Amino acid sequence: MMNGDKAKALAHVLQQLRARWGWFVGLGVVLLLLGGLAMIYVIAATLASVVFIAMLMIIGGAAQLVHAWGLKPWQAFAWWSVVGVLYVLAGVFALANPVAGAAVLTLLLGGALIAMGALRLWIWYQNRAQQGWRWLALSGVLSLLTGLLIAMGWPENSLVILGVLLAIDLIFQGWGMLALGLVLKRSHQSHQP
């Protein structure tokens, strides 16, 4: 596409988005309501997220098993089969016992945050002379501290952490969609003949 064609295509997409600003506002309101409900019923939100993740793991494991049956070399077949079976077993375990699944996922989340925080701090340390890298250090410290807080409160916090994170994510997405919808509404009104 030439630059003129790209500009026309972009203008067309923006025009379509402006005309549908109400959908963004509606979606934002729904996400805000769901986030509020998740914050009120945080344990239910945690268990629902564990059940959702468990179902995804079972589906992913089954897909890996189907993929394994299409492989010719024995080693590749065995590897993909083992990984698929482990995914299915982990998903079934979390589905059968969502409280224990929440504990495992919370511990994994804490460990991942600790590892990411430490990695960001190490990258910052290697590049600390460069301008603007303090933000990476701040991000690393915050990730590390969050991971340590989760790990120190484990397993007591397992029924709360995932639900709170889900609620916060829904609320932020809701505000983002609502703001985008209102901006599109103003833009739509200003482009009306």
Side-chain angles (χ1 to χ4, degrees):
M1 259 190 196
M2 300 180 82
N3 285 340
D5 293 339
K6 288 181 183 179
K8 287 179 185 177
L10 180 60
H12 180 69
V13 169
L14 287 174
Q15 181 182 4
Q16 288 180 332
L17 287 176
R18 285 186 204 114
R20 291 177 177 81
W21 65 267
W23 285 100
F24 289 94
V25 170
L27 179 59
V29 169
V30 168
L31 289 172
L32 283 169
L33 290 173
L34 289 173
L37 283 173
M39 195 60 84
I40 293 169
Y41 300 106
V42 71
I43 293 174
T46 295
L47 296 177
S49 64
V50 169
V51 168
F52 179 72
I53 292 169
M55 290 189 306
L56 291 179
M57 290 177 76
I58 292 169
I59 292 168
Q64 287 185 353
L65 287 171
V66 168
H67 174 69
W69 286 97
L71 297 175
K72 299 293 181 207
W74 169 249
Q75 290 175 331
F77 167 78
W79 171 253
W80 284 98
S81 295
V82 168
V83 171
V85 167
L86 288 176
Y87 260 79
V88 169
L89 289 176
V92 168
F93 167 77
L95 199 57
N97 192 349
V99 174
V104 170
L105 289 173
T106 301
L107 186 60
L108 288 173
L109 174 64
L113 286 170
I114 291 169
M116 286 306 300
L119 178 63
R120 287 180 185 144
L121 286 172
W122 180 78
I123 292 171
W124 163 77
Y125 184 76
Q126 298 297 320
N127 299 286
R128 64 188 178 279
Q130 300 202 18
Q131 187 177 8
W133 281 76
R134 289 188 178 121
W135 290 108
L136 186 63
L138 178 63
S139 171
V141 167
L142 291 176
S143 294
L144 185 65
L145 289 176
T146 303
L148 288 172
L149 286 173
I150 290 172
M152 289 186 326
W154 187 84
E156 291 82 16
N157 61 4
S158 297
L159 286 176
V160 177
I161 294 294
L162 298 175
V164 168
L165 291 175
L166 175 63
I168 291 170
D169 182 57
L170 287 169
I171 290 169
F172 274 100
Q173 284 188 53
W175 279 117
M177 286 293 146
L178 186 61
L180 178 61
L182 294 175
V183 166
L184 288 171
K185 177 185 178 186
R186 281 193 298 266
S187 178
H188 180 68
Q189 291 171 343
S190 69
H191 284 81
Q192 290 291 343

